[in-house]
Amino acid sequence: MATESRVVAGAARPTGRRGAELLRVEGLKTYFFTEEGVVQAVDGVDFILRRGETLGIVGESGSGKSVTSLSIMRLVSPPGRIVEGKIIFDGINLLDLDPEEMRKIRGDRIAMIFQQPTTALNPVFRVGDQIIETLEIHQGLKGEEAQKRCIELLSMVGLPDPQRRMRQYPHELSGGQCQRVMIAMALACNPELLIADEPTTALDVTIQAQILDLMRELREKIETAIMLITHDMGVIAEMADSVVVMYAGQVVEYADVQSLFTDPKHPYTRGLLNSMPVLGDEREELEVIPGTVPSLINPPKGCRFASRCSKRFEKCDQPPPMIELGANRRVRCWLYED
Amino acid sequence: MAGYLARRFVQMFLVALVAAICAYGMLYLVPGGPIDQLLAERQNAGQNRITEADIRRVRERFELDIYLPFRFTRWLIGWPAGPLPGGIGADWQIGCAVPGQVRLRYPDGRVEVVEEGCEVPVTMADLEGRKVSRGIVFGDFGISQVMLRGRPVTDLIMTRLPYTLYLMGTSILLSILIAVPIGVYSAVRQYSRFDYIMTTIAFIGASLPSFVFGIFAILLFSVLAKNAGLPYLPPGDAVGVRDYTIPLIGTVQAGSFLDRFLRFLMPCGVLTFINIAGWSRFVRGSMLEVLSLDYVRTARAKGVAERVVILKHALRNSLIPFVTLLAGILVALFSGALITETVFNWPGIGRLFIDALGRNDYNVVMALLIINVVLLLIGILITDILYTVVDPRIRLT
């Protein structure tokens, strides 16, 4: 195992114990100060990610998943700003770092892959050079050494004929191939944390499965913790160890993947699971959650899901607290108040 | 690539030909012309008459006595210059030296003289011995009919070209060197004070006509500065004719390097300012678009330093549309600035064009128009080829 990961890793970093806390997000608030008002895109998000673990973050569009991940990378662009909270990565609060220190962490210890692989690569540079750039910045690899490592990375992500591929431009590759390149680029420096922001959404189904397989395989090899953002419950079931369910900028439920699927607590989580097609299911129509996500400029005072919730009662006009339901199980719903 | 170029050259030749026909036709369709000009000159001199002989002489000098299609082919390829081989067609009429006159008598007794038919025709044989150019297709622009009276147009252009190249070259180079950084910085610091100031100045610069700036510059740096006893700039011409004294600088010898430099400053400054105004806005817009794209975010997520993100990942992409402007730059380099050169009395190609138009020097006007067309076509071709260099997604087939 050790020798194998060294071959893949090139420059293996001393990693902490598997299962030790790697990332802790506390009370994260990221707001966008637009002309229409302040959009509270992420409004008090907490979660913990352990080494070697895969954390799924689910929620529909506009629930603040992507903004959360960009906040961790500190790549939220104006008018967005992180207003409050802590992002503790391996013992350091990322929000306390100066931009240069943060830059050194990006791409090296925390890497990210994006939703649209074809537009996420720079169209005027060869894909090999884009991978080599990362190696150059963080590991000082140059020339032949960097090329060798690049070929190694490309074959690791299963891109056939890497010598030729690395000399091609992004437009000469398919979406799936581009995503493989993105993954190779993200894994170039053996990051401790890989943030995958809907990595399969833009790909067609067969390619989706291939990319998920690849990520699973590499997770074992490199022992990277993965933060997987998606709106696809199927992807969560396949990949995640634990799950954060987000709604309107808040975490509404946190559980390990098993408990979440067998015993969802929050009405929103139930709604999400019910709206998922199941093979062999005889239902004629899938259930939908009525209504839409509330505006985050003036979010409802009480529970943000209340207007769409079938279990709504008077208490829902008050903001519900996060209620602990045993170890690693939390839900933001008045139904579970004891 | 070779096949592509061959096709492009054929295309370019056809476009240039059509442009030549249109320009030539329109130039002669415009009312006025050498005869009206002669009449005006005579009237100014107190004579109210021009004789038949005068008209005939002027018509011959400007080849107005040859019908337009033949005039055009003579200008284009130097044909017909006389009868066909073996004397064929010696008596074919291809023009009219003196138009015929018909006296019309109306029932109410009024009498009107109308031009109709031809009294003295011009035949192919008459063309023999007349001066004719080898044709513009073969690089002969003909003779200047007014400005240099019978000397080649090329001579005229060559005396003016250095001034224009020098003025335009410097100002274009300066503009690019200044406009690109301003545009990039404005985009990176969007809505900052710097951005607001620069966009406002650029907006003014791009909206006001250039003569406003030219006249303002003369007022400020020549007239007001001189009246206030401050160092001032000479208001026009490329070279002085007599020495002058400037406070703090001393006596400037006419024709010295200093003299030329001082006279160069204002037109160059005005042109540079106007170019910067347009181009910095262009670069800013294109940069802003690129900065919001996914691959810029990817570069940042890789840990690329912000300076490198902007100068390598974003700038390279945002300058792709800038390549389009190069075709125009090639033309501007040759044809100069019509208005600015006129305001500053700068003896460049732009002013030559204005002068030639005003004095009915058809061959000069046509030569400049055609050179512009050809340069524009070449500029577009270069642009297209450059696109494949800067953007790997584009390929010429």
Side-chain angles (χ1 to χ4, degrees), chain A residues 35-61:
Chain A
E35 277 177 25
E36 289 81 37
V38 179
V39 181
Q40 304 172 8
V42 172
D43 200 19
V45 162
D46 310 85
F47 59 83
I48 294 171
L49 174 57
R50 295 184 178 78
R51 286 188 185 276
E53 188 191 48
T54 300
L55 174 75
I57 299 191
V58 265
E60 54 198 299
S61 315

Side-chain angles (χ1 to χ4, degrees), chain A residues 174-205:
Chain A
S174 69
Q177 288 169 332
C178 281
Q179 196 59 294
R180 284 173 195 270
V181 171
M182 282 298 294
I183 293 172
M185 197 152 84
L187 298 182
C189 304
N190 302 302
E192 288 151 79
L193 171 61
L194 174 68
I195 303 177
D197 187 356
E198 311 222 15
T200 56
T201 309
L203 307 172
D204 51 34
V205 188

Side-chain angles (χ1 to χ4, degrees), chain A residues 54-73:
Chain A
T54 300
L55 174 75
I57 299 191
V58 265
E60 54 198 299
S61 315
S63 60
K65 308 174 303 238
S66 293
V67 178
T68 304
S69 62
L70 288 174
S71 300
I72 295 170
M73 292 293 271

Side-chain angles (χ1 to χ4, degrees), chain A residues 70 73 75 103 106-107 110 112 114 116 119-125 130 133-134 137-138 169 171-172 182 185, chain B residues 293-306 308 312-314 316-317 320 390-395:
Chain A
L70 288 174
M73 292 293 271
L75 284 177
R103 181 188 70 71
R106 277 189 218 122
I110 309 181
M112 190 162 179
F114 298 96
Q116 290 281 353
T119 57
L121 290 167
N122 196 321
V124 301
F125 298 113
Q130 299 192 45
E133 190 180 25
T134 316
I137 295 169
H138 298 296
Y169 289 95
H171 72 274
E172 295 170 291
M182 282 298 294
M185 197 152 84
Chain B
L293 292 179
D294 286 356
Y295 55 76
V296 172
R297 193 185 51 189
T298 307
R300 290 191 177 126
K302 284 202 293 194
V304 177
E306 191 60 21
V308 183
K312 182 179 164 191
H313 289 265
R316 170 84 194 270
N317 281 286
I320 292 173
V390 296
D391 190 341
R393 285 166 295 184
I394 297 169
R395 194 163 291 158

Side-chain angles (χ1 to χ4, degrees), chain B residues 103-141:
Chain B
R103 191 178 280 265
L104 287 182
R105 192 182 300 273
Y106 289 99
D108 58 2
R110 274 188 308 121
V111 173
E112 195 183 356
V113 180
V114 195
E115 283 192 1
E116 196 183 290
C118 184
E119 195 146 320
V120 185
V122 175
T123 61
M124 295 279 260
D126 294 332
L127 293 180
E128 224 156 355
R130 273 207 202 184
K131 242 189 178 169
V132 63
S133 79
R134 273 176 290 123
I136 199 149
V137 172
F138 307 107
D140 185 349
F141 295 115

Side-chain angles (χ1 to χ4, degrees), chain A residues 98-116:
Chain A
D98 66 42
E100 182 57 20
E101 288 171 321
M102 189 61 217
R103 181 188 70 71
K104 284 184 180 149
I105 288 183
R106 277 189 218 122
D108 187 29
R109 302 186 63 189
I110 309 181
M112 190 162 179
I113 54 181
F114 298 96
Q115 192 172 12
Q116 290 281 353

